[in-house]
Amino acid sequence: ALDENKLYIVDYHDVYLPFLDRINALDGRKAYATRTIYFLTPTGALKPIAIELTLPNTGPSSRSKRVLTPAVDATTNWMWMLAKAHVSANDAGVHQLIHHWLRTHATLEPFILAAHRQLSAMHPIFKLLDPHMRYTLEINALARQSLISADGVIESCFTPGRYAMEISASAYKTWRFDHQSLPADLVQRGMAVPDPTQPHGVKLVMEDYPYGSDGLLIWGAIENWVRTYVHHYYPDSSVIRKDRELQAWYWESINVGHADLRHETWWPLLSTADDLVSILSTLIWLASAQHAALNFAQYPYGGYVPNRPPLMRRLIPEEGDPEYANFISDPQKFFLSALPSVLEATKYMAVVDTLSTHSPDEEYLGERQQPSTWSGDADVVEAFYKFSAEIREIEKEIDRRNSDPNLKHRCGAGVLPYELLVPSSDPGITCRGVPNSISI
């Protein structure tokens, strides 16, 4: 199965384990460090086959570790449901604190601040980045005020509680900018392998992987547009090296904005046109498609809290535990008591409802306010219209994929079509739409 790329793992063990003693000491918080194994079935769909639940050491030579597998009777069915709920709580915390807040909102902020400080509004790179920086500083300020603040929504509604930002800060120590482009991210996570014969230089190891397959279409469109733009203004790499504003922007983004990691050797150089294309494509990808894929389905997928609880309040009892008899006598009551309280669930639902809502004045990928005037260069305007046309074609292709019954992860009874990377959207909660910037 390993050799045929049929086993997959969702691994939150190392993220949570160092914090579990402190989390489990909080009132109304109980968590494990989880690992979940999935098997790729002959139909092309992933099936969970084992969940590992780990607690910290209880003695010099012991570690509390359990493995649960799919149900074989009524009792193990409820055990399996509780295990899946704990995995969902782990996933909700990692999703919000690491993938969403850290990898998009927080790590992009230094590049945006440095752009406003070091690049003239007339600089071609500022003009390119401008729509992808829209409202981000404002939404980050609001997040610090009420979402990630002490006793804020994240601490109230998610498993890590007061240790939420500590988990985010811990993850930042291993964050790498050179792994943030979509192809690099897919390879680093084992979801793709390098393949120079493919359009994007990588080949997915699983055909029916909506985020990867749709994302590569958008990544390619962004990269082609950025390459055309960069080569128009920088026909010679020496111009890039001599552009003092551009070099000052990149230097400040790393050495001031990401000061803790400034000495890392993995930072890309900014010496050639290819360097600049790679850096800018990554920034635009993170601000647009990556953030959209993480943000706009939070209510559709998680708004019904029993389906995806953001925290759990009880561990799973074992035979001999004082609570085991209560679990056996009324497993549904036990399950509901392990989920967030009504107040916690309501607060969580209200927040993810807001986060998942598209504004009426949203500006989407391939759109630009007054596209004929932001650049006085007709060739660049024409290239942007080609980019817009490519984005519209990608939308048609995603619609086609979502109606393909052979793709089990996006088509079938009870399966949400994967529309998170469909570029356009109406206002409201639509579970689709790729805005230009992190604006919510």
Side-chain angles (χ1 to χ4, degrees), residues 194-215:
D195 186 344
T197 67
Q198 297 296 313
H200 314 291
V202 297
K203 181 181 180 181
L204 295 174
V205 298
M206 183 168 66
E207 181 184 355
D208 186 9
Y209 181 31
Y211 166 78
S213 55
D214 294 357

Side-chain angles (χ1 to χ4, degrees), residues 46 81 103 109 144 146 175 203 211 282 345 365 371 409 434:
L46 285 174
M81 284 177 60
R103 291 182 60 196
E109 186 172 296
R144 291 186 174 96
S146 59
W175 174 88
K203 181 181 180 181
Y211 166 78
T282 298
L365 197 64
H409 292 144
V434 179

Side-chain angles (χ1 to χ4, degrees), residues 9-22:
I9 185 169
V10 175
D11 188 350
Y12 297 133
H13 180 278
D14 294 354
V15 174
Y16 277 95
L17 192 64
F19 298 90
L20 278 185
D21 280 333
R22 286 176 285 168

